[in-house]
Amino acid sequence: KRGLAVLTCMDSRIEPLAMLGLQPGDAKILRNAGARVTDDVLRTLVLARYLLGVHRAMVVAHTECRMSGITEAEVHAAISESGGPDTRSMSFHVATDQEASLRADVQRIRSWPYLQDLDAAGFRYDVGTGRLTRVC
């Protein structure tokens, strides 16, 4: 169990430790909108690998994700329509094709020069059934 990092979405329906049958302290948990491998996630994984003993990483996307199957323009419009500011200068890293994005994100970890010895895999969590399926 130890030596594991889990990147998942910030969606409150997801409880990463419970999803994996783990206890507090068993894994390092990283969360962001859409469970995307951003530059900040890569930086955090480097710290986890070399300072915290992490050797495996799981990237866990999920069904019914608001950041999946939507375009950047649609996210910007939704924010504006809800009274928010003009966010067009930002990228929200949406996944118009969630599986393709998950595969690309896992490959980004695998090919990152600072994480060559980190074992990374991608999964999809079904929020309705609680089933976790390996994608890559």
Side-chain angles (χ1 to χ4, degrees):
K1 293 179 194 175
R2 300 210 185 269
L4 174 65
V6 179
L7 167 64
T8 193
C9 187
M10 66 183 199
D11 190 307
S12 59
R13 296 172 292 178
I14 300 169
E15 303 237 5
L17 295 176
M19 172 181 67
L20 299 168
L22 301 176
Q23 299 297 314
D26 286 344
K28 309 303 179 223
I29 307 299
L30 294 77
R31 296 181 85 137
N32 65 29
R36 298 305 310 271
V37 176
T38 62
D39 288 348
D40 192 54
V41 166
L42 290 170
R43 177 190 63 82
T44 302
L45 287 174
V46 169
L47 292 169
R49 168 64 191 93
Y50 295 102
L51 300 182
L52 302 175
V54 166
H55 295 279
R56 297 175 298 139
M58 296 176 71
V59 180
V60 184
H62 69 93
T63 59
E64 302 175 29
C65 184
R66 181 74 193 261
M67 294 293 101
S68 178
I70 190 170
T71 67
E72 290 280 336
E74 290 169 323
V75 172
H76 296 301
I79 291 170
S80 178
E81 290 164 11
S82 71
D86 181 347
T87 57
R88 290 175 294 171
S89 65
M90 301 174 68
S91 173
F92 290 101
H93 305 284
V94 298
T96 52
D97 179 335
Q98 186 183 54
E99 184 171 324
S101 294
L102 178 59
R103 290 179 185 281
D105 281 352
V106 170
Q107 184 55 40
R108 188 169 187 215
I109 293 170
R110 290 175 179 165
S111 63
W112 195 250
Y114 303 107
L115 296 172
Q116 292 296 302
D117 61 347
L118 183 70
D119 182 25
F123 299 82
R124 182 177 296 113
Y125 176 71
D126 187 312
V127 296
T129 65
R131 183 173 181 198
L132 187 67
T133 306
R134 185 172 180 151
V135 174
C136 58

